[in-house]
Protein backbone atom coordinates (compact mmCIF):
# COMPACT_ATOMS: atom_id res chain seq x y z
CA UNK A 1 0.00 0.00 0.00
CA UNK A 2 1.29 3.45 -0.88
CA UNK A 3 1.12 6.16 1.77
CA UNK A 4 1.17 9.91 1.04
CA UNK A 5 3.67 10.42 3.85
CA UNK A 6 6.36 8.06 5.12
CA UNK A 7 5.24 6.03 8.08
CA UNK A 8 7.08 6.80 11.34
CA UNK A 9 9.36 4.09 12.64
CA UNK A 10 7.86 1.75 15.23
CA UNK A 11 7.91 3.12 18.77
CA UNK A 12 10.14 1.02 21.00
CA UNK A 13 10.60 1.07 24.74
CA UNK A 14 12.53 -0.83 27.35
CA UNK A 15 10.76 -3.11 29.77
CA UNK A 16 9.70 -5.56 27.04
CA UNK A 17 10.99 -8.54 28.99
CA UNK A 18 8.32 -11.00 27.88
CA UNK A 19 9.23 -10.38 24.25
CA UNK A 20 12.89 -11.02 25.09
CA UNK A 21 11.98 -14.21 26.93
CA UNK A 22 10.09 -15.50 23.91
CA UNK A 23 12.82 -14.50 21.48
CA UNK A 24 15.69 -16.12 23.37
CA UNK A 25 13.81 -19.04 24.93
CA UNK A 26 14.71 -18.08 28.51
CA UNK A 27 12.20 -18.03 31.36
CA UNK A 28 11.20 -14.44 32.32
CA UNK A 29 12.31 -15.14 35.89
CA UNK A 30 15.82 -15.98 34.66
CA UNK A 31 16.73 -12.51 33.42
CA UNK A 32 18.49 -9.48 34.83
CA UNK A 33 16.31 -6.77 33.30
CA UNK A 34 18.32 -3.55 32.85
CA UNK A 35 16.29 -2.33 29.88
CA UNK A 36 14.59 0.61 31.59
CA UNK A 37 15.66 3.64 33.61
CA UNK A 38 13.24 2.72 36.38
CA UNK A 39 14.47 2.53 39.97
CA UNK A 40 14.61 -1.24 40.63
CA UNK A 41 14.23 -0.65 44.37
CA UNK A 42 11.21 1.61 44.19
CA UNK A 43 8.83 3.04 46.71
CA UNK A 44 7.54 0.34 49.15
CA UNK A 45 3.79 0.50 48.61
CA UNK A 46 1.87 -0.45 51.79
CA UNK A 47 -1.57 -2.08 51.83
CA UNK A 48 -4.12 0.43 50.57
CA UNK A 49 -7.48 1.34 52.10
CA UNK A 50 -10.36 -0.66 50.67
CA UNK A 51 -12.28 2.43 49.59
CA UNK A 52 -9.62 3.43 47.02
CA UNK A 53 -10.47 0.21 45.18
CA UNK A 54 -14.22 0.46 45.64
CA UNK A 55 -15.00 4.15 45.04
CA UNK A 56 -14.62 6.21 41.91
CA UNK A 57 -11.41 8.28 42.00
CA UNK A 58 -11.87 11.60 43.79
CA UNK A 59 -10.33 14.50 41.87
CA UNK A 60 -10.50 16.69 44.99
CA UNK A 61 -8.49 14.31 47.21
CA UNK A 62 -5.61 16.77 47.55
CA UNK A 63 -3.26 15.00 45.13
CA UNK A 64 -2.92 18.00 42.81
CA UNK A 65 -1.97 20.24 45.72
CA UNK A 66 0.44 17.64 47.15
CA UNK A 67 2.16 17.33 43.76
CA UNK A 68 2.43 21.08 43.27
CA UNK A 69 4.01 21.42 46.70
CA UNK A 70 6.39 18.49 46.13
CA UNK A 71 7.63 19.93 42.83
CA UNK A 72 7.62 23.56 43.93
CA UNK A 73 5.10 24.41 41.20
CA UNK A 74 2.13 26.80 41.28
CA UNK A 75 -0.32 24.27 39.80
CA UNK A 76 -0.43 20.57 38.91
CA UNK A 77 -2.80 18.22 37.09
CA UNK A 78 -2.57 14.47 37.80
CA UNK A 79 -2.64 12.39 34.62
CA UNK A 80 -2.35 8.70 33.77
CA UNK A 81 1.42 8.85 33.38
CA UNK A 82 3.25 11.30 31.14
CA UNK A 83 2.00 9.28 28.18
CA UNK A 84 -1.54 10.63 28.57
CA UNK A 85 -0.24 14.18 28.40
CA UNK A 86 2.17 13.52 25.54
CA UNK A 87 -0.64 12.14 23.38
CA UNK A 88 -3.09 14.94 24.22
CA UNK A 89 -1.10 18.16 24.60
CA UNK A 90 0.01 18.58 20.95
CA UNK A 91 -3.61 19.07 19.83
CA UNK A 92 -3.97 21.93 22.34
CA UNK A 93 -1.08 23.86 20.78
CA UNK A 94 -1.24 25.76 17.47
CA UNK A 95 0.34 23.64 14.70
CA UNK A 96 3.88 24.64 13.82
CA UNK A 97 7.52 23.57 13.68
CA UNK A 98 8.38 21.58 16.81
CA UNK A 99 11.96 20.69 17.66
CA UNK A 100 12.43 17.23 19.18
CA UNK A 101 15.67 15.36 19.90
CA UNK A 102 16.51 12.80 17.22
CA UNK A 103 17.77 10.50 19.97
CA UNK A 104 15.35 10.64 22.84
CA UNK A 105 11.98 9.50 24.10
CA UNK A 106 10.23 8.18 21.02
CA UNK A 107 6.63 9.07 21.86
CA UNK A 108 6.89 12.81 21.21
CA UNK A 109 7.48 12.91 17.46
CA UNK A 110 4.48 10.77 16.41
CA UNK A 111 2.19 12.55 18.86
CA UNK A 112 3.06 15.99 17.49
CA UNK A 113 2.98 14.78 13.89
CA UNK A 114 -0.48 13.28 14.38
CA UNK A 115 -1.72 16.65 15.65
CA UNK A 116 -0.56 18.42 12.49
CA UNK A 117 2.81 19.76 13.62
CA UNK A 118 5.98 19.58 11.55
CA UNK A 119 8.60 17.69 13.54
CA UNK A 120 12.18 18.99 13.29
CA UNK A 121 14.68 16.35 14.51
CA UNK A 122 17.50 17.85 16.56
CA UNK A 123 20.99 16.45 17.11
CA UNK A 124 22.46 16.62 20.59
CA UNK A 125 24.92 19.36 19.60
CA UNK A 126 22.03 21.66 18.71
CA UNK A 127 20.99 21.81 22.35
CA UNK A 128 24.19 23.78 22.99
CA UNK A 129 22.91 26.68 20.87
CA UNK A 130 21.32 29.59 22.77
CA UNK A 131 19.46 30.54 19.56
CA UNK A 132 18.00 27.06 19.02
CA UNK A 133 14.41 28.21 19.53
CA UNK A 134 14.60 31.10 17.07
CA UNK A 135 13.42 29.05 14.07
CA UNK A 136 10.87 26.92 15.93
CA UNK A 137 7.29 27.36 17.08
CA UNK A 138 7.53 24.78 19.87
CA UNK A 139 10.38 22.88 21.49
CA UNK A 140 10.41 19.64 23.49
CA UNK A 141 13.32 19.13 25.89
CA UNK A 142 13.70 16.00 27.99
CA UNK A 143 15.92 17.20 30.82
CA UNK A 144 18.00 15.23 31.59
CA UNK A 145 17.65 13.46 28.27
CA UNK A 146 16.91 9.77 27.94
CA UNK A 147 19.17 8.06 26.88
CA UNK A 148 22.05 10.47 26.24
CA UNK A 149 22.09 12.05 29.71
CA UNK A 150 22.35 15.53 28.21
CA UNK A 151 21.37 18.29 30.64
CA UNK A 152 20.32 21.77 29.57
CA UNK A 153 21.04 24.51 32.13
CA UNK A 154 18.09 26.36 33.59
CA UNK A 155 19.05 29.75 32.17
CA UNK A 156 19.30 28.40 28.63
CA UNK A 157 15.88 26.79 29.00
CA UNK A 158 14.42 30.08 30.22
CA UNK A 159 15.97 31.86 27.25
CA UNK A 160 14.37 29.40 24.83
CA UNK A 161 11.07 29.78 26.63
CA UNK A 162 11.19 33.56 26.36
CA UNK A 163 11.90 33.39 22.62
CA UNK A 164 9.11 30.91 21.99
CA UNK A 165 6.52 32.55 24.23
CA UNK A 166 7.08 35.91 22.58
CA UNK A 167 5.74 34.36 19.35
CA UNK A 168 2.93 32.40 21.01
CA UNK A 169 4.99 29.21 21.10
CA UNK A 170 5.57 26.65 23.85
CA UNK A 171 8.51 25.05 25.60
CA UNK A 172 7.65 21.57 26.90
CA UNK A 173 10.18 20.23 29.40
CA UNK A 174 9.94 16.56 30.36
CA UNK A 175 11.57 16.11 33.77
CA UNK A 176 10.87 12.39 34.18
CA UNK A 177 14.42 11.78 35.44
CA UNK A 178 14.78 14.97 37.48
CA UNK A 179 13.58 13.63 40.84
CA UNK A 180 16.97 12.14 41.64
CA UNK A 181 18.06 15.71 42.36
CA UNK A 182 16.43 17.43 45.34
CA UNK A 183 14.46 20.61 44.64
CA UNK A 184 16.64 22.57 47.09
CA UNK A 185 19.84 21.54 45.30
CA UNK A 186 21.31 23.43 42.33
CA UNK A 187 18.51 22.18 40.09
CA UNK A 188 17.77 22.86 36.43
CA UNK A 189 14.07 22.17 36.99
CA UNK A 190 11.59 24.64 35.56
CA UNK A 191 8.78 23.38 37.78
CA UNK A 192 8.82 26.60 39.86
CA UNK A 193 8.41 28.61 36.63
CA UNK A 194 5.59 26.51 35.20
CA UNK A 195 2.96 29.16 35.85
CA UNK A 196 4.35 31.18 32.92
CA UNK A 197 2.50 31.30 29.62
CA UNK A 198 4.04 29.00 27.00
CA UNK A 199 5.73 26.67 29.48
CA UNK A 200 4.72 23.09 30.29
CA UNK A 201 6.63 20.78 32.63
CA UNK A 202 5.97 17.05 32.96
CA UNK A 203 6.84 14.96 36.01
CA UNK A 204 6.30 11.27 36.67
CA UNK A 205 6.27 8.69 39.44
CA UNK A 206 7.64 6.04 37.11
CA UNK A 207 11.41 6.53 37.25
CA UNK A 208 12.72 7.80 40.59
CA UNK A 209 9.89 6.29 42.62
CA UNK A 210 9.99 3.05 40.62
CA UNK A 211 6.20 3.14 40.24
CA UNK A 212 5.84 2.90 36.46
CA UNK A 213 2.99 0.43 36.84
CA UNK A 214 0.67 2.84 38.64
CA UNK A 215 0.57 5.11 35.54
CA UNK A 216 0.58 8.41 37.38
CA UNK A 217 2.28 11.63 36.36
CA UNK A 218 1.71 15.36 36.56
CA UNK A 219 1.45 18.29 34.18
CA UNK A 220 2.68 21.59 35.59
CA UNK A 221 1.40 24.60 33.64
CA UNK A 222 -0.94 27.59 33.67
CA UNK A 223 -4.45 26.88 35.02
CA UNK A 224 -6.15 27.58 31.66
CA UNK A 225 -4.06 24.96 29.87
CA UNK A 226 -4.56 22.47 32.71
CA UNK A 227 -8.32 22.96 32.50
CA UNK A 228 -8.28 22.41 28.74
CA UNK A 229 -6.15 19.29 29.14
CA UNK A 230 -8.40 17.98 31.92
CA UNK A 231 -11.46 18.43 29.71
CA UNK A 232 -9.81 16.46 26.93
CA UNK A 233 -8.77 13.63 29.25
CA UNK A 234 -12.12 13.44 31.04
CA UNK A 235 -13.01 12.20 34.49
CA UNK A 236 -11.15 9.51 36.45
CA UNK A 237 -8.01 9.52 34.32
CA UNK A 238 -5.93 8.43 37.35
CA UNK A 239 -7.22 5.42 39.26
CA UNK A 240 -8.05 5.53 42.96
CA UNK A 241 -5.22 3.16 43.98
CA UNK A 242 -2.73 5.16 41.88
CA UNK A 243 -3.83 8.39 43.55
CA UNK A 244 -3.47 6.82 46.99
CA UNK A 245 0.06 5.59 46.26
CA UNK A 246 1.05 8.93 44.73
CA UNK A 247 -0.06 10.86 47.81
CA UNK A 248 2.02 8.60 50.03
CA UNK A 249 5.15 8.67 47.86
CA UNK A 250 5.17 12.41 47.26
CA UNK A 251 4.86 13.12 50.99
CA UNK A 252 7.53 10.64 52.12
CA UNK A 253 10.50 13.00 52.21
CA UNK A 254 12.61 10.65 54.34
CA UNK A 255 12.35 7.91 51.68
CA UNK A 256 13.13 10.43 48.96
CA UNK A 257 16.31 11.65 50.67
CA UNK A 258 17.52 8.12 51.39
CA UNK A 259 16.78 7.05 47.82
CA UNK A 260 18.71 9.95 46.30
CA UNK A 261 21.74 8.94 48.35
CA UNK A 262 21.34 5.28 47.37
CA UNK A 263 20.98 6.09 43.67
CA UNK A 264 24.13 8.23 43.68
CA UNK A 265 26.10 5.32 45.13
CA UNK A 266 24.55 2.75 42.80
CA UNK A 267 25.14 4.84 39.68
CA UNK A 268 28.79 5.34 40.66
CA UNK A 269 29.09 1.57 41.07
CA UNK A 270 27.55 0.95 37.66
CA UNK A 271 29.80 3.55 36.04
CA UNK A 272 32.91 1.96 37.56
CA UNK A 273 31.83 -1.54 36.50
CA UNK A 274 31.24 -0.53 32.88
CA UNK A 275 34.53 1.36 32.69
CA UNK A 276 36.39 -1.59 34.17
CA UNK A 277 35.26 -3.56 31.11
CA UNK A 278 36.44 -0.96 28.61
CA UNK A 279 33.18 0.91 28.03
CA UNK A 280 32.77 4.69 28.18
CA UNK A 281 29.36 5.41 29.73
CA UNK A 282 27.51 8.65 30.31
CA UNK A 283 26.02 7.92 33.72
CA UNK A 284 22.99 9.38 35.48
CA UNK A 285 21.53 8.26 38.81
CA UNK A 286 19.09 5.86 37.10
CA UNK A 287 20.94 4.59 34.02
CA UNK A 288 24.15 4.60 32.02
CA UNK A 289 24.28 5.27 28.27
CA UNK A 290 27.03 3.65 26.23
CA UNK A 291 27.62 4.69 22.60
CA UNK A 292 29.53 1.86 20.95
CA UNK A 293 30.18 0.85 17.35
CA UNK A 294 29.38 -2.77 18.27
CA UNK A 295 26.35 -1.98 20.44
CA UNK A 296 24.07 -4.38 18.57
CA UNK A 297 26.50 -7.28 19.00
CA UNK A 298 27.00 -6.45 22.67
CA UNK A 299 23.23 -6.26 23.21
CA UNK A 300 22.83 -9.68 21.61
CA UNK A 301 25.69 -11.25 23.57
CA UNK A 302 24.37 -9.92 26.86
CA UNK A 303 20.89 -11.22 26.00
CA UNK A 304 22.30 -14.72 25.53
CA UNK A 305 23.75 -14.33 29.04
CA UNK A 306 20.32 -13.40 30.40
CA UNK A 307 21.00 -9.66 30.76
CA UNK A 308 18.46 -7.49 28.96
CA UNK A 309 19.54 -4.00 27.91
CA UNK A 310 17.99 -1.35 25.68
CA UNK A 311 19.51 -1.01 22.21
CA UNK A 312 19.27 2.33 20.40
CA UNK A 313 19.93 2.56 16.70
CA UNK A 314 21.91 5.59 15.56
CA UNK A 315 19.55 8.43 14.58
CA UNK A 316 19.16 8.78 10.84
CA UNK A 317 19.70 12.54 10.74
CA UNK A 318 20.65 15.68 12.62
CA UNK A 319 23.94 14.53 14.08
CA UNK A 320 27.28 16.13 13.53
CA UNK A 321 30.18 14.04 12.15
CA UNK A 322 31.97 13.89 15.51
CA UNK A 323 28.82 13.50 17.59
CA UNK A 324 28.75 10.28 19.63
CA UNK A 325 25.02 10.06 18.94
CA UNK A 326 26.03 9.00 15.43
CA UNK A 327 26.86 5.61 16.95
CA UNK A 328 24.42 2.91 18.01
CA UNK A 329 24.24 2.65 21.78
CA UNK A 330 23.08 0.70 24.79
CA UNK A 331 21.33 1.85 27.93
CA UNK A 332 22.00 -0.02 31.18
CA UNK A 333 19.55 0.49 34.00
CA UNK A 334 20.59 -0.08 37.59
CA UNK A 335 20.64 -3.65 38.88
CA UNK A 336 18.51 -4.33 41.96
CA UNK A 337 20.31 -3.77 45.26
CA UNK A 338 21.41 -7.37 45.66
CA UNK A 339 25.00 -8.60 45.32
CA UNK A 340 23.90 -11.52 43.14
CA UNK A 341 22.44 -9.11 40.55
CA UNK A 342 25.59 -7.01 40.39
CA UNK A 343 27.72 -10.13 40.12
CA UNK A 344 25.58 -11.44 37.28
CA UNK A 345 26.14 -8.24 35.33
CA UNK A 346 29.88 -8.33 36.04
CA UNK A 347 30.09 -11.96 34.89
CA UNK A 348 28.10 -11.23 31.72
CA UNK A 349 30.34 -8.29 30.84
CA UNK A 350 33.47 -10.36 31.46
CA UNK A 351 32.11 -13.07 29.19
CA UNK A 352 31.05 -10.81 26.33
CA UNK A 353 33.83 -8.18 26.31
CA UNK A 354 35.97 -7.62 24.39
CA UNK A 355 33.79 -8.47 21.43
Amino acid sequence: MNHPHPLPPPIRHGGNLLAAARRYGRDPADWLDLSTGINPDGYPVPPLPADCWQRLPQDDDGLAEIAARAYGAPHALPVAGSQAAIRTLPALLPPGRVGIAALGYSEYAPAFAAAGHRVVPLGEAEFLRPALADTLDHLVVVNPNNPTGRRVPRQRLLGWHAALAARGGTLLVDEAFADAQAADEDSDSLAPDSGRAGLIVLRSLGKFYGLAGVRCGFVLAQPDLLRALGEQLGHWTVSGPARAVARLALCDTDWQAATRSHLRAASARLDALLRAHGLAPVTLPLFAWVPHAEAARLHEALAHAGVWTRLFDAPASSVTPNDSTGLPSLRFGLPPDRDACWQRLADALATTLPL
Side-chain angles (χ1 to χ4, degrees):
M1 180 182 296
N2 293 324
H3 296 273
H5 302 289
L7 294 174
I11 297 174
R12 294 185 298 171
H13 298 287
N16 54 339
L17 185 61
L18 292 180
R22 288 190 292 267
R23 177 178 173 183
Y24 293 95
R26 182 187 292 267
D27 188 278
D30 188 25
W31 284 87
L32 177 61
D33 185 6
L34 307 181
S35 66
T36 74
I38 296 168
N39 183 355
D41 302 298
Y43 187 74
V45 178
L48 299 177
D51 64 353
C52 76
W53 299 97
Q54 298 163 350
R55 295 179 181 273
L56 288 170
Q58 305 294 301
D59 290 341
D60 58 353
D61 62 357
L63 177 57
E65 292 77 13
I66 288 171
R69 184 165 60 250
Y71 297 128
H75 311 282
L77 175 70
V79 294
S82 300
Q83 183 67 11
I86 292 169
R87 286 286 169 167
T88 309
L89 281 169
L92 301 179
L93 305 179
R97 289 167 50 87
V98 54
I100 300 175
L103 184 54
Y105 190 57
S106 57
E107 293 284 349
Y108 281 103
F112 273 91
H117 298 267
R118 178 183 173 190
V119 174
V120 180
L122 301 174
E124 291 298 284
E126 298 189 62
F127 288 90
L128 299 174
R129 296 197 297 112
L132 170 61
D134 290 358
T135 59
L136 300 170
D137 300 296
H138 310 291
L139 175 60
V140 174
V141 181
V142 181
N143 202 41
N145 191 45
N146 168 28
T148 66
R150 173 250 305 147
R151 298 177 186 268
V152 178
R154 170 184 168 79
Q155 289 305 315
R156 187 178 304 150
L157 290 169
L158 290 174
W160 291 341
H161 166 256
L164 292 164
R167 304 191 301 275
T170 300
L171 173 66
L172 191 160
V173 184
D174 184 332
E175 296 182 350
F177 288 93
D179 292 279
Q181 187 172 17
D184 58 354
E185 295 178 5
D186 184 17
S187 173
D188 293 319
S189 174
L190 292 195
D193 307 281
S194 57
R196 303 184 186 191
L199 179 59
I200 302 171
V201 177
L202 304 185
R203 300 295 285 255
S204 171
L205 294 186
K207 305 302 189 296
F208 172 76
Y209 292 94
L211 294 173
V214 306
R215 307 312 305 142
C216 184
F218 303 93
V219 182
L220 316 178
Q222 280 196 318
D224 287 349
L225 187 141
L226 296 182
R227 275 192 292 271
L229 178 58
E231 289 172 0
Q232 288 294 313
L233 295 173
H235 291 295
W236 313 309
T237 181
V238 181
S239 73
R243 298 181 75 95
V245 172
R247 292 196 303 271
L248 291 171
L250 289 172
C251 291
D252 195 340
T253 54
D254 288 342
W255 182 89
Q256 294 163 20
T259 298
R260 289 186 180 102
S261 177
H262 167 72
L263 291 177
R264 283 193 291 268
S267 63
R269 183 177 182 181
L270 178 60
D271 186 89
L273 178 59
L274 295 174
R275 292 184 186 280
H277 288 86
L279 301 176
V282 175
T283 305
L284 271 68
L286 285 165
F287 64 85
W289 178 62
V290 181
H292 196 287
E294 299 294 333
R297 289 177 58 196
L298 178 55
H299 172 75
E300 186 76 6
L302 288 170
H304 283 290
V307 175
W308 191 231
T309 58
R310 172 71 196 278
L311 174 66
F312 291 86
D313 298 323
S317 62
S318 297
V319 294
T320 58
N322 296 321
D323 192 340
S324 62
T325 57
L327 294 173
S329 57
L330 291 184
R331 186 185 63 201
F332 292 79
L334 292 176
D337 189 22
R338 298 191 296 274
D339 286 341
C341 296
W342 285 92
Q343 189 60 52
R344 183 167 185 180
L345 175 57
D347 291 346
L349 290 169
T351 300
T352 58
L353 288 168
L355 292 170

